[in-house]
């Protein structure tokens, strides 16, 4: 596992072992979930994506990481609408051997490569409506200051010493590997070459004197942290995996490289002959963005949640919390872990030529459509497979037919000629099913619908807390289906506005369906922001009425006045989400090949 088998330590050892009861207390750590429905308790939250390597253009896996963080962050904003309550950073990881080598291979100066690819990430995230409040580049001065300060703190606390590192290094993964994690594979010339067992990337033998971090002292504090907060790493299987890793001894960690070998990075303070290890550099970005080392950073730490892919779990769940504890700080609030996208059953890779370009996808399926697809189909606990037909099928059935159809059915001129939110008739749909008088028209399934939609925001919030955004979307989609069933059952197109018997019930059916749509629109904002905006605008919902605290679903049913009854609907804006299977020529081509 994490053992660097060939590590030989020349430096002076023997700083006393660490326990949580002394210096590295988790006293600032709060483990409770964020308050639901707009309460201000525990209200601040900062979300981070991993920072992305700039050795190659972004692909859909990177976009997925960013969208998960964006959806969590936007959902938090729905709970706590104040701008000051939520922060969200993303950025690019620009130092290290991997970037140094990629620049050399492209015949570019490293800074040129960084500028070029970082701009691609920024553009992609802008286009994909990723609502980050900061974009960090590790080549920025503010970051160098933060990393060097962090280094000095570790040094002052006796946690860094000089030692000889001898072992395997994988530049692609920027990590050290024990012999057990290295295998041999035929290289381009047919000779057997050493590669990482996990990633298949080439490794090389390294022997040099470096600065070493006393990681081995942190095994017990890390175990205590994880045992004391079972949700620290979510979903649970990843939490379990880390605890299992911690069953084994934790070797100390080399945290610098010789500058003659790695010049593209941040120099070790006071020792220009060494460059800081890129993972230490990269992880500190999470502090840089909240203002570290200035005291202001404390208002966001440790209420910060990291969203990461499973391949970088060890760095975030072992190295990072250990470094933080070493610097006298708490581990992050949450580490949310997701799995990977494969393409037609294969790992996505440049060498296989199957990398899916996210910008083409945003173009083809629209920004909202592709965001919805990735977040609806991506399941954090296991890998998901990507292929075009799957996107079309999902978007046509859930966004175009079910949601778009429902909106159209309830707002179309022929069914709602006055263009208003009709009144809800309590005699037609009394809150007690058994109390219906002669005008009672609601059936048992209608009560089931009301109760499903009434509890939907809470359910969705729970799914967000558990990092199961796909389940939140599944729950919304199931309620959309139920609402379509409700409309179908009562066939408002067969009811007559002119009839004194039909009219109150017709208004009630439309009122209930519009109220359901208002809930769906509100809850879809984190995933499909512009589609949700169009939907809510069509319903006449103002921008101050779109938070969870303002939802008040079907208030007339619950005996309260409704601010929507009698309100004019917003202007007609056309089809909510056009079907893809008829409109896309590229799809016809894809079917034929
Ligand atoms: N630079 C490091 C992260 C440093 S964070 C302090 C890094 N960069 S990366 O560009 O390789 O990966 C960034 C994110 O993209 C990771 O969360 C990774 O898991 C994710 N993905 C990369 N390929 C992916 C898929 N095929 N599918 C889903 N996510 C994937 O690691």
């Amino acid at each position: 596992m994490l053992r660097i088998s060939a590590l030989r330590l020349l430096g002076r050892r023997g700083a006393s072992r660490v326990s949580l009861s002394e210096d590295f207390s988790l006293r600032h750590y709060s483990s409770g979930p964020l308050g639901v429905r707009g309460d201000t308790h525990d209200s601040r939250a900062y979300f981070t994506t991993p920072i992305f390597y700039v050795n190659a253009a972004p692909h859909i896996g990177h976009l997925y990481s960013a969208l998960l963080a964006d959806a969590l962050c936007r959902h938090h904003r729905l709970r706590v609408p104040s701008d000051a309550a939520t922060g969200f950073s993303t950025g690019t990881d620009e130092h290290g051997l991997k970037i140094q080598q990629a620049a050399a291979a492209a015949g570019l100066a490293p800074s040129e490569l960084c500028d070029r690819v970082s701009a691609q990430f920024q553009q992609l995230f802008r286009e994909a409506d990723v609502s980050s409040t900061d974009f960090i580049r590790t080549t920025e001065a503010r970051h160098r200051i933060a990393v060097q300060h962090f280094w000095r703190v570790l040094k002052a606390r006796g946690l860094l010493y000089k030692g000889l590192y001898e072992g395997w290094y994988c530049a692609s993964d920027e990590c050290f590997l024990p012999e057990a994690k290295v295998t041999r594979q035929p290289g381009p010339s047919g000779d057997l070459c050493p590669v990482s067992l996990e990633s298949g990337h080439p490794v090389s033998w390294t022997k040099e004197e470096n600065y070493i971090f006393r990681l081995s002292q942190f095994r017990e504090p890390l175990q205590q942290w994880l045992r004391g907060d079972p949700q620290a790493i979510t979903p649970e299987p990843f939490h379990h995996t880390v605890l299992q890793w911690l069953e084994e001894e934790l070797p100390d960690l080399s945290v610098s490289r010789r500058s003659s070998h790695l010049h593209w990075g941040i120099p070790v303070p006071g020792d220009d002959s060494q460059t800081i290890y890129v993972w230490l550099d990269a992880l500190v970005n999470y502090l840089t963005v909240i203002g570290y080392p200035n005291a202001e950073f404390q208002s966001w730490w440790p209420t910060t949640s990291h969203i990461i892919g499973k391949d970088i779990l060890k760095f975030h769940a072992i190295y990072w919390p250990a470094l933080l504890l070493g610097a006298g700080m708490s581990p992050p609030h949450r580490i949310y872990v997701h799995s990977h996208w494969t393409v037609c059953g294969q790992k996505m890779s440049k060498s296989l030529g199957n990398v899916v370009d996210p910008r083409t996808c945003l173009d083809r399926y629209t920004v909202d459509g592709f965001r919805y697809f990735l977040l609806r189909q991506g399941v954090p606990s296991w890998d998901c497979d990507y292929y075009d037909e799957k996107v079309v099928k999902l978007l046509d059935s859930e966004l175009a037919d079910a949601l778009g159809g429902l909106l159209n059915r309830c707002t179309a001129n022929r069914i709602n000629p006055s263009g208003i939110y009709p009144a809800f008739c309590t005699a037609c749909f009394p809150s007690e099913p058994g109390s219906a008088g002669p005008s009672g028209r609601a059936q048992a399934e209608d009560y089931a619908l009301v109760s499903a939609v009434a509890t939907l925001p809470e359910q969705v919030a729970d799914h967000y807390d558990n990092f199961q955004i796909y389940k939140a979307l599944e729950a919304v989609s199931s309620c959309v289906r139920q609402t379509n069933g409700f409309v179908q059952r009562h066939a408002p197109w067969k009811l007559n506005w002119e009839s004194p018997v039909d009219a109150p019930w017709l208004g009630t059916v439309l009122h209930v369906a519009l109220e359901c749509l208002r809930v769906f629109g509100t809850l879809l904002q984190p995933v499909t922001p512009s589609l949700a905006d169009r939907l809510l605008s069509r319903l006449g919902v103002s921008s101050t009425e779109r938070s969870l605290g303002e939802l008040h679903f079907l208030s007339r049913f619950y005996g309260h006045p409704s601010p929507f009854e009698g309100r004019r609907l917003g202007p007609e804006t056309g089809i909510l989400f056009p079907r893809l299977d008829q409109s896309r020529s590229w799809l016809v081509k894809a079917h034929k090949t």
Side-chain angles (χ1 to χ4, degrees), residues 54 94 110-120 122 137 139:
V54 288
E94 306 190 0
S111 64
E112 272 179 280
L113 178 71
C114 293
D115 288 349
R116 191 176 289 183
V117 183
S118 181
Q120 291 177 12
Q122 292 180 52
R137 300 184 56 187
T139 44

Side-chain angles (χ1 to χ4, degrees), residues 50-53 59 61-62 64-65 93 279 282-283 285-286 308-312 316 338-341 348:
I51 48 171
F52 301 90
Y53 285 131
H59 60 57
H62 302 135
Y64 179 56
S65 265
D93 189 353
W279 266 103
L283 289 162
N285 97 82
Y286 300 134
I308 60 160
K310 64 180 182 180
D311 54 321
I312 52 177
H316 283 81
H338 66 80
S339 297
H340 282 184
W341 282 91
M348 217 182 334

Side-chain angles (χ1 to χ4, degrees), residues 543-583:
S543 57
T544 54
E545 294 170 321
R546 297 178 179 192
S547 68
L548 294 181
E550 296 298 316
L551 206 41
H552 312 302
F553 168 62
L554 208 57
S555 19
R556 295 276 283 110
F557 176 82
Y558 295 102
H560 306 292
S562 159
F564 292 97
E565 234 175 33
R567 187 183 292 191
R568 178 142 298 284
L569 295 178
E572 160 74 273
T573 46
I575 294 174
L576 185 68
F577 191 87
R579 280 186 69 85
L580 294 159
D581 66 350
Q582 294 138 2
S583 59

Side-chain angles (χ1 to χ4, degrees), residues 307-327:
I307 288 79
I308 60 160
K310 64 180 182 180
D311 54 321
I312 52 177
L313 181 59
K314 177 182 67 182
F315 303 97
H316 283 81
I318 293 186
Y319 298 175
W320 180 225
L323 288 164
L324 286 163
L325 290 171

